[in-house]
Amino acid sequence: MCPLKTNDLHRIFHELDKNGDGLLSTVELNWLLESIGVHFSLEELESSVGKSCLSFDEFSLFYDSITKQSDDASNEAGLADDEEGRNKEECDLFEAFKVFDSNGDGFISCEELQSLLSKLGLWDEKTGKDCRSMICRYDTNLDGVVDFEEFKKMMLLTSL
């Protein structure tokens, strides 16, 4: 998993803070998690974060703990034999691919990319114009969308 930069976390935090009070409620945080396919009840989420609202610093710590858990899981997979590690990596990549492939057709379109970036608070007019070029950069078969194999190559190239 590629960690987000602090300014990206700030943008996401402010986008989620719908009432502008400088705090993310578990309802606001749960909306983000559900939009990327992670489902908790509000009670489970509040129990997990330990309170009903998070400041930006607490949100950042929450993000860091999720990232660390993901990294720890990846490291544990790395201790297994190479083939098992590759299978785990491919499963993780496929799960990430499914987040982008919101309609489940097996392809990531420009519209799906824009939708996810928008949900995360990372889309603006300039980024929107770049969605097509982002798709084209990794669309090796020139069909106008990114399939799983193209997505996998992209992720493996950018993680080096």
Side-chain angles (χ1 to χ4, degrees):
M1 172 182 273
C2 297
L4 294 173
K5 296 177 184 168
T6 302
N7 61 343
D8 291 331
L9 282 176
H10 271 289
R11 275 197 304 187
I12 292 168
F13 181 87
H14 291 296
E15 184 71 26
L16 292 173
D17 182 18
K18 299 294 183 194
N19 62 4
D21 65 355
L23 298 170
L24 281 188
S25 69
T26 50
V27 171
E28 292 165 326
L29 183 58
N30 200 38
W31 178 89
L32 170 68
L33 294 172
E34 286 186 353
S35 72
I36 61 171
V38 177
H39 301 282
F40 286 106
S41 71
L42 290 177
E43 295 78 22
E44 290 171 323
L45 185 57
E46 188 170 328
S47 173
S48 176
V49 298
K51 52 188 3 183
S52 61
C53 292
L54 300 176
S55 68
F56 173 75
D57 291 336
E58 293 164 331
F59 173 70
S60 184
L61 289 172
F62 176 74
Y63 170 78
D64 288 343
S65 73
I66 290 173
T67 304
K68 183 179 180 340
Q69 287 174 2
S70 175
D71 289 346
D72 288 348
S74 295
N75 289 339
E76 288 174 16
L79 297 176
D81 67 19
D82 282 347
E83 186 174 328
E84 186 176 315
R86 280 193 300 267
N87 288 339
K88 167 97 172 86
E89 182 179 73
E90 187 150 334
C91 287
D92 290 346
L93 285 171
F94 190 69
E95 289 302 312
F97 178 81
K98 290 190 317 187
V99 171
F100 286 91
D101 179 22
S102 59
N103 66 5
D105 67 354
F107 303 99
I108 301 170
S109 67
C110 183
E111 293 77 17
E112 288 170 314
L113 178 59
Q114 178 182 330
S115 175
L116 183 64
L117 292 175
S118 180
K119 285 178 183 176
L120 294 173
L122 300 173
W123 185 86
D124 57 30
E125 258 186 63
K126 182 184 180 316
T127 308
K129 293 175 184 171
D130 289 341
C131 283
R132 178 95 30 230
S133 65
M134 291 165 70
I135 294 288
C136 288
R137 183 175 303 135
Y138 297 101
D139 178 20
T140 56
N141 64 2
L142 305 176
D143 61 358
V145 291
V146 172
D147 61 32
F148 177 65
E149 289 302 314
E150 293 165 332
F151 178 81
K152 186 167 66 171
K153 286 177 188 168
M154 173 193 69
M155 295 302 286
L156 294 175
L157 283 174
T158 57
S159 67
L160 297 177

